[in-house]
Amino acid sequence: MDQPALADFLRSRRSGLRPEDVGLPAGPRRLVPGLRREEVAALAGMSADYYVRMEQARSPQPSEQMLAALARALRLSNDERDYLYRLADHNVPARTPLDTHVAPSLMRVFDRLEETPALILSSLGETLAQNWLGAALLGDHSRHTGLARSSVYRWFTDPTDREIYPFADRQRQSRAQVAGLPAAFGAAGQRSRAGALVRELSRVSAEFTEIWELQDVATRFQDHKTLIHPELGPIELDCQTLLTEDRGQALLILTAAPRSEAAEKLALLAVLGHQRFAPAPPTGGPAPE
């Protein structure tokens, strides 16, 4: 690992960003340009001390997961992300339809969505980014590991994951969960994460198998849905979807009609935040092949 070059690269990317570039308030006048180290650490979900040591060229080799989080936090392009991996002496991730690195252009849109729930999903339903209102409404998806990072896997293996939808909507939602998988499976192949997901769900869920064999393929650009919040009850929301050019990632934006009961509930949700959530252990399925 080239620690000095890695440290220089991280400092240069950090100094080139402003708080508003990553969805943070500008705050008081800053003595130096760029983000603070603790801000980058918070965006990447790591300790500030570890990030400081990375910039001081005295940290151990970061994991691939940590590099992926840093690339997202620093809004790196694909080429910059690849360079980061090389400096840290890791293999460069393959650029496939299942690539989980979020394009900076999509993140810029996401960063400006502060007043409504929003999240970015991969083609396998993995949450790649989730704003705080999205986590308050849907739960914090970052706690999931393994195959359970996929909303499709959780839907067919964890009954509690369905509780957010009214019973009458769950059959439609089951079909919608599966409808996006054939395209990802066809593009990536059986030996990919998509293949591992399909094989495991086919093994454990008869419902998934029945729907999968229908081979329905569909992408919903907009939808009207009712979500059930534990404290606030049913909330009627419109869901708009913005897809990347290769349809590998989707930005979901949940909004309520102005002056509606749902709008009032979202405003109350902003006050409640995460107060209802108790610590929960990570959930995970078998590791992808």
Side-chain angles (χ1 to χ4, degrees):
M1 180 174 71
D2 191 339
Q3 284 190 317
L6 177 63
D8 288 342
F9 183 64
L10 291 174
R11 284 194 299 269
S12 70
R13 296 305 93 186
R14 177 173 62 83
S15 65
L17 289 172
R18 297 181 181 180
E20 54 268 32
D21 294 336
V22 296
L24 296 175
R29 183 175 180 181
R30 299 180 177 228
L31 299 179
V32 294
L35 297 179
R36 299 186 176 97
R37 291 187 179 96
E38 59 268 23
E39 290 172 332
V40 174
L43 288 169
M46 65 177 63
S47 73
D49 178 68
Y50 188 92
Y51 181 76
V52 168
R53 285 187 284 133
M54 289 186 71
E55 283 204 2
Q56 293 175 344
R58 58 186 186 88
S59 70
Q61 184 186 35
S63 66
E64 292 183 2
Q65 292 81 0
M66 188 170 291
L67 292 175
L70 276 172
R72 193 169 301 145
L74 294 170
R75 307 308 191 251
L76 301 185
S77 67
N78 283 325
D79 289 340
E80 291 170 332
R81 187 272 309 264
D82 293 351
Y83 181 60
L84 176 69
Y85 273 70
R86 292 190 183 98
L87 291 177
D89 196 27
H90 280 292
N91 292 327
V92 172
R95 298 190 188 183
T96 71
L98 301 185
D99 194 347
T100 58
H101 180 61
V102 182
S105 56
L106 195 61
M107 284 297 297
R108 283 195 292 271
V109 178
F110 173 81
D111 288 336
R112 283 155 177 77
L113 299 172
E114 300 176 358
E115 299 180 357
T116 195
L119 62 162
I120 297 176
L121 299 177
S122 74
S123 58
L124 300 185
E126 303 156 326
T127 299
L128 307 179
Q130 183 181 32
N131 67 7
W132 73 277
L133 266 177
L137 176 65
L138 304 169
D140 183 2
H141 293 171
S142 65
R143 67 189 181 91
H144 298 297
T145 60
L147 289 178
R149 292 185 59 232
S150 167
S151 62
V152 186
Y153 182 86
R154 298 195 305 272
W155 182 263
F156 290 100
T157 60
D158 183 358
T160 63
D161 207 63
R162 302 189 176 205
E163 293 176 356
I164 197 169
Y165 285 92
F167 181 80
D169 289 348
R170 293 176 188 176
Q171 185 176 12
R172 181 176 75 101
Q173 186 63 20
S174 291
R175 295 179 69 108
Q177 288 282 359
V178 179
L181 275 184
F185 180 80
Q190 294 189 11
R191 301 184 65 179
S192 66
R193 296 198 326 277
L197 179 62
V198 170
R199 284 193 300 275
E200 181 60 17
L201 285 175
S202 297
R203 186 182 70 84
V204 301
S205 173
E207 181 190 11
F208 171 83
T209 301
E210 180 180 350
I211 299 172
W212 175 254
E213 289 176 351
L214 297 175
Q215 289 294 295
D216 288 338
V217 182
T219 301
R220 289 187 294 178
F221 293 93
Q222 60 183 9
D223 192 12
H224 183 81
K225 59 180 64 185
T226 299
L227 300 178
I228 301 175
H229 186 272
E231 276 79 37
L232 302 178
I235 307 176
E236 291 191 27
L237 298 169
D238 292 311
C239 179
Q240 297 291 142
T241 304
L242 176 64
L243 294 170
T244 53
E245 185 176 358
D246 63 1
R247 300 197 173 193
Q249 296 174 4
L251 170 60
L252 273 60
I253 307 168
L254 297 162
T255 60
R259 298 175 295 280
S260 64
E261 180 183 4
E264 294 177 0
K265 289 183 177 181
L266 283 185
L268 183 55
L269 181 65
V271 177
L272 288 175
H274 300 281
Q275 294 180 32
R276 77 182 194 277
F277 295 115
T283 61
E289 297 180 357

